[in-house]
Amino acid sequence: MLDTETKRRIDTARDILVGKVPDPKSQVEQITIALIYKFMDDMDAEAEELGGKRSFFTGEFEKYGWSKLMASGVGGHEVLNLYAEAITKMNENAGIPLLFRDIFKNAYLPYRNPETLKSFLKIIDDFEYDHSERLGDAFEYLLSVLGSQGDAGQFRTPRHIIDFMVEVTDPKKDETILDPACGTAGFLISSYKHILKSNTKDGKIGAGLTPDERTRVAKNIKGYDISPDMVRLSLVNLYLHGFTDPHIDEYDALTSEDKWNEYADVILANPPFMSPKGGIKPHKRFSVQSKRSEVLFVDYMAEHLTPSGRAAIIVPEGIIFQSQNAYKQLRKMLVEDYLFAVVSLPSGVFQPYSGVKTSILLMDKSLAKKSDSILFVKIENDGFDLGAQRRPNGKSDLPESVRLIKNYVSGIMNGETFDAENIANVLVVAKEKIRDNGDLNLSGERYRDNDKLRNSKYEILELGEVCEINPKKSQISHLDKDLQVSFVPMADVNENKMYFDAKETRKLDSVIKGYTYFQNDDVLLAKVTPCFENGKASLAKQLANGIGFGSSEFYVLRAFEKIKPEWIFYNVTSNRFRNEGKLKMTGTGGLQRIPIDFVKHFKIPLPPLEIQKEIVAEIEGYQKIIDGARAVVENYKPHIQIDPEWEMVELGGVCEFKRGPFGGSLKKEIFVEEGYAVYEQSHAIYNQFEDIRYFIDEDKFNEMKGFQINPGDLIMSCSGTMSLPKNKVVKYIM
């Protein structure tokens, strides 16, 4: 457990550096180098006390001894020059272990202020070297400040998620453990602690391991990372947790073949989500040919498991349901030979630096061969709220999920059936059913809804069988061209509300070309993003002369005799319709639409008309309650006493206005699958920022950094009404 005094020292060291070294990653590097420098001197001093000799600061390196830096009377500039020279040359010191030389590789002092350095070194001097758990915890705390996305799309994985994945995979003392994108070695250290805990004897953690077994465990734990900075931090982290010879290599698992023939019994990772501009250029030994880093990493880890190997991998949602060939090919390979469970994580797990939705793929090669099904587990609470601060909330599904997953595995191994029928957020799906889905979608909710539909006691029909979609304008070609008809723009159609007010009329001749035709009792369904996702659909009533025209972005659904239009509305505003529709949208950027074929072939239950009427009446009753509540909210005006003596200022005098980069700056071609989030107009209007659809890469982010949103910024919409009353229109900046 991290003690208060050590935490205070780390915080103080960072506070001293922040004025000269604002980047958290650089702060961590500077503290890491200084700590190792100090610890080497401590070890030399300890050797002398025990009657031995110094081995680190000898010969030409004797002048760099820590005591020389801290000696009274030494001037600030002299200390600065000596320290800067020492950390630059230390990797040439033949008297220190290779591990330490690697840590000092490419080290340098990024500032030239003597007072800052002297204050910083004084704090470092308070640390004392030992191999205690306390010091390891201190370094873990230091690494926790790396709360931002790395250049290659790395996300720091929360400790409780790491521990959950380790507990589920259950690494053993005689197994090889690998993280091919190890970052700061969090998965490796958690695995080591898990093995020690699993070998507790007489109440002492790790006492059940012999000295040889401890040595073998440390030797079997390995990691790779493409970043030399991450390799350095991993080495230090492992060293401070008792690894005298940690095995972390600077290695690109996606482009180099040097370690292709090395396998592991357990692989744990949160690989980078972001691919560089132009994609990855991998070697040719991958089973799945792709330029996407997340596809290649999952492929790599699956293919590098031993015959009884297991893996737990955090993946972005693209792996779960993207329809490109590489993603489908990867999912096919996983379902056939590797996968036994998928754990869906909440969208806020990686807050405050990303709201990206992720899942955990659980693999077991031997288990996959014995099972004809896959377990889906949905985590709704991970013990913390999902806001930017991630405050503990005392609610966690993780412990129970571990128990359920282990029970599922045990059942397969013993030939027993796992009953998930009455367990919330758990679903067992036959592999055959997943294969039958053309995209091999790995979203559990997809199959849960389909199961409910199949179990319906009513006839199941496609929408195209119960309604006419986009009726022809030729049906009204006989009408007078001067006839007044209703005109309904997209803004007039409500979200999650059955009816709308047709406010405007126009002559038939002025709208019959270029607009969508409908009539009373037709269902209007927005087909374009973000209107579709936001629930824009309505039932047409009280149209002028019974006829209306509106946006070309509407689908029109006209009910046949055996179905009530309200029942159609209910089904096309259901979560099942929205969720499946979002997965089927085509196009890119702001031009995505749901295909008409999806609407035609979407299956719904068809109760008898009398039952439809009963259900519709109940829904309309709920709608009246909702409308009443909405009216109360919209008409509520908080009463704030304004003191006439308060100073009146222009808004521009107390804050800075920025308008988001619209037009050519945000063409659909610039969007990528994962990266920096782009906030849209709908996010501001509905004050909901969880569902991010568009991302830009590192290059575009740096180009547009002036539009970055920081905590405390007010985001407003600057155009469009999005169906809000005019007095409720807000403005936003991107």
Side-chain angles (χ1 to χ4, degrees):
M1 180 68 71
L2 178 65
D3 63 277
T4 305
E5 181 58 25
T6 303
K7 179 179 181 295
R8 183 197 64 77
R9 289 173 186 161
I10 291 173
D11 290 339
T12 302
R14 290 190 59 230
D15 290 342
I16 291 169
L17 290 176
V18 72
K20 302 296 180 184
V21 187
D23 176 41
K25 180 181 171 185
S26 297
Q27 295 168 16
V28 172
E29 289 171 358
Q30 291 302 309
I31 295 172
T32 300
I33 290 167
L35 284 174
I36 294 300
Y37 193 139
K38 168 67 163 57
F39 294 161
M40 288 194 307
D41 194 271
D42 287 349
M43 285 185 273
D44 264 356
E46 184 179 28
E48 277 189 325
E49 288 178 10
L50 296 174
K53 296 181 179 180
R54 286 181 171 264
S55 57
F56 299 154
F57 293 96
T58 60
E60 64 175 301
F61 289 92
E62 183 179 358
K63 63 181 179 181
Y64 301 127
W66 188 264
S67 59
K68 304 286 196 303
L69 295 172
M70 304 307 295
S72 60
V74 181
H77 283 92
E78 185 178 351
V79 171
L80 187 144
N81 292 333
L82 192 64
Y83 181 79
E85 182 180 302
I87 64 174
T88 302
K89 290 186 174 182
M90 198 62 70
N91 73 310
E92 302 171 8
N93 186 348
I96 66 175
L98 178 61
L99 165 64
F100 290 173
R101 293 204 298 272
D102 287 342
I103 291 169
F104 282 99
K105 188 178 180 181
N106 299 321
Y108 72 99
L109 188 66
Y111 59 91
R112 303 295 297 179
N113 184 281
E115 292 306 315
T116 298
L117 179 62
K118 290 199 75 171
S119 298
F120 172 65
L121 295 182
K122 185 177 180 181
I123 290 297
I124 297 298
D125 192 50
D126 290 337
F127 287 92
E128 294 182 3
Y129 172 73
D130 56 37
H131 273 310
S132 70
E133 179 67 19
R134 181 172 56 84
L135 194 52
D137 285 339
F139 196 70
E140 287 289 296
Y141 171 69
L142 177 61
L143 294 180
S144 72
V145 307
L146 296 177
S148 59
Q149 181 176 338
D151 296 337
Q154 313 101 313
F155 291 143
R156 180 181 178 274
T157 315
R159 170 59 52 194
H160 62 291
I161 300 298
I162 290 177
D163 292 342
F164 167 78
M165 294 166 65
V166 168
E167 190 170 357
V168 168
T169 51
D170 190 22
K172 303 291 195 300
K173 64 182 181 181
D174 55 349
E175 292 182 318
T176 53
I177 302 163
L178 172 68
D179 182 347
C182 69
T184 60
F187 283 105
L188 302 180
I189 289 170
S190 180
S191 298
Y192 179 63
K193 291 179 177 179
H194 176 84
I195 293 171
L196 293 180
K197 186 177 179 180
S198 300
N199 290 274
T200 297
K201 183 178 180 182
D202 298 330
K204 296 181 180 179
I205 294 176
L209 295 172
T210 67
D212 285 345
E213 286 175 332
R214 277 182 174 268
T215 301
R216 194 179 307 117
V217 168
K219 186 177 180 181
N220 284 342
I221 293 178
K222 301 176 182 179
Y224 315 145
D225 204 282
I226 193 173
S227 165
D229 294 334
M230 290 296 106
V231 170
R232 177 188 295 153
L233 294 177
S234 293
L235 290 171
V236 175
N237 201 8
L238 286 165
Y239 185 79
L240 295 180
H241 280 87
F243 287 66
T244 56
D245 183 25
H247 300 283
I248 305 293
D249 294 323
E250 184 180 334
Y251 179 70
D252 186 346
L254 305 186
T255 62
S256 174
E257 298 183 55
D258 293 348
K259 298 181 183 293
W260 184 263
N261 294 324
E262 297 181 13
Y263 297 85
D265 299 308
V266 176
I267 298 180
L268 297 141
N270 176 11
F273 294 169
M274 189 182 295
S275 299
K277 192 172 184 179
I280 303 287
K281 295 180 180 178
H283 53 73
K284 301 299 182 182
R285 300 184 70 174
F286 288 92
S287 293
V288 179
Q289 300 303 308
S290 175
K291 294 183 177 181
R292 299 296 305 172
S293 63
E294 66 270 26
V295 173
L296 294 169
F297 264 115
V298 175
D299 183 347
Y300 182 92
M301 287 180 265
E303 293 197 65
H304 284 79
L305 289 173
T306 59
S308 60
R310 308 178 302 286
I313 308 164
I314 294 177
V315 296
E317 287 297 270
I319 292 292
I320 302 300
F321 56 70
Q322 278 281 6
S323 60
Q324 287 96 324
N325 286 336
Y327 291 91
K328 289 194 290 186
Q329 186 182 350
L330 177 67
R331 289 195 293 269
K332 183 176 187 297
M333 182 181 82
L334 294 175
V335 170
E336 296 292 343
D337 300 317
Y338 299 97
L339 198 64
F340 78 89
V342 179
V343 179
S344 174
L345 295 175
S347 296
V349 164
F350 289 108
Q351 292 283 23
Y353 46 92
S354 175
V356 64
K357 177 73 177 70
T358 58
S359 293
I360 301 171
L361 302 182
L362 298 179
M363 302 184 201
D364 187 317
K365 288 183 70 172
S366 61
L367 199 67
K369 293 177 182 178
K370 296 179 180 179
S371 174
D372 59 0
S373 62
I374 289 177
L375 176 72
F376 291 90
V377 179
K378 183 178 181 181
I379 304 293
E380 292 187 336
N381 291 294
D382 69 330
F384 298 82
D385 65 38
L386 300 178
Q389 301 302 316
R390 294 287 279 148
R391 296 184 178 90
N393 61 14
K395 303 174 184 176
S396 178
D397 301 331
L398 297 177
E400 178 63 11
S401 297
V402 170
R403 188 187 69 81
L404 290 169
I405 292 168
K406 288 187 174 182
N407 286 348
Y408 175 75
V409 171
S410 176
I412 293 174
M413 300 302 291
N414 297 321
E416 300 170 355
T417 301
F418 181 83
D419 184 10
E421 185 67 28
N422 298 313
I423 304 177
N425 296 327
V426 175
L427 186 68
V428 177
V429 180
K431 290 182 180 179
E432 182 180 0
K433 189 182 296 183
I434 297 173
R435 294 188 198 99
D436 290 343
N437 179 295
D439 287 343
L440 287 96
N441 190 294
L442 293 178
S443 172
E445 294 304 305
R446 161 72 67 90
Y447 303 102
R448 185 188 303 278
D449 288 330
N450 286 344
D451 278 348
K452 290 179 181 177
L453 189 62
R454 288 190 189 94
N455 294 331
S456 172
K457 60 184 178 182
Y458 304 120
E459 183 182 11
I460 305 299
L461 294 174
E462 295 181 351
L463 271 175
E465 298 179 273
V466 295
C467 65
E468 180 182 6
I469 300 176
N470 291 343
K472 303 293 184 182
K473 295 177 185 177
S474 58
Q475 297 176 8
I476 56 171
S477 59
H478 62 285
L479 297 178
D480 189 330
K481 294 181 180 180
D482 290 331
L483 183 72
Q484 290 288 317
V485 298
S486 292
F487 181 74
V488 183
M490 181 68 74
D492 283 358
V493 172
N494 301 299
E495 295 169 2
N496 303 309
K497 189 176 179 181
M498 192 175 295
Y499 305 111
F500 62 87
D501 295 326
K503 303 170 185 175
E504 183 181 350
T505 61
R506 295 185 184 181
K507 288 183 179 180
L508 176 63
D509 191 45
S510 68
V511 293
I512 199 165
K513 292 183 180 180
Y515 294 101
T516 300
Y517 151 68
F518 48 89
Q519 65 182 32
N520 281 339
D521 294 324
D522 285 348
V523 174
L524 304 185
L525 172 66
K527 61 185 177 183
V528 68
T529 191
C531 300
F532 173 78
E533 298 98 311
N534 291 340
K536 273 189 176 284
S538 283
L539 183 59
K541 291 284 187 183
Q542 298 180 336
L543 301 174
N545 291 304
I547 296 171
F549 280 82
S551 170
S552 61
E553 298 293 356
F554 287 134
Y555 283 133
V556 177
L557 286 68
R558 181 169 296 170
F560 294 154
E561 289 185 3
K562 57 183 177 181
I563 191 169
K564 288 186 67 64
E566 291 88 352
W567 184 245
I568 295 176
F569 171 83
Y570 170 73
N571 279 279
V572 299
T573 54
S574 68
N575 288 334
R576 183 170 67 88
F577 183 82
R578 297 288 171 192
N579 291 337
E580 292 192 28
K582 284 191 284 188
L583 298 178
K584 296 293 185 181
M585 293 186 94
T586 59
T588 57
L591 298 177
Q592 287 189 315
R593 297 177 177 86
I594 55 166
I596 192 170
D597 282 346
F598 165 75
V599 180
K600 285 181 179 178
H601 299 301
F602 184 78
K603 294 181 178 181
I604 66 170
L606 187 67
L609 276 172
E610 286 304 312
I611 294 179
Q612 289 182 46
K613 290 176 183 177
E614 291 175 10
I615 296 173
V616 167
E618 184 174 359
I619 293 171
E620 288 180 330
Y622 288 137
Q623 187 65 57
K624 289 177 182 178
I625 296 172
I626 294 169
D627 292 345
R630 182 181 287 120
V632 171
V633 172
E634 290 179 349
N635 290 292
Y636 172 70
K637 296 180 180 179
H639 182 65
I640 301 175
Q641 293 286 348
I642 305 296
D643 190 328
E645 295 185 3
W646 286 353
E647 180 185 4
M648 299 297 291
V649 297
E650 293 184 352
L651 196 55
V654 293
C655 63
E656 178 185 5
F657 282 87
K658 288 185 181 180
R659 180 163 179 164
F662 302 105
S665 297
L666 287 181
K667 291 179 180 177
K668 61 183 180 180
E669 291 83 5
I670 75 166
F671 294 122
V672 295
E673 291 176 6
E674 287 88 28
Y676 291 89
V678 176
Y679 290 149
E680 301 175 70
Q681 185 182 34
S682 59
H683 289 119
I685 289 177
Y686 295 101
N687 193 29
Q688 295 177 348
F689 294 84
E690 290 81 12
D691 188 13
I692 305 296
R693 299 181 303 133
Y694 305 127
F695 300 89
I696 56 176
D697 61 20
E698 182 80 14
D699 292 340
K700 196 66 181 178
F701 172 74
N702 288 330
E703 177 186 329
M704 305 171 69
K705 210 163 186 177
F707 302 106
Q708 178 180 1
I709 294 171
N710 299 308
D713 289 351
L714 176 65
I715 306 173
M716 302 185 298
S717 168
C718 61
S719 63
T721 62
M722 295 290 289
S723 83
L724 291 175
K726 289 183 179 179
N727 66 334
K728 295 291 182 182
V729 175
V730 294
K731 300 193 172 186
Y732 94 125
I733 57 175
M734 180 176 294

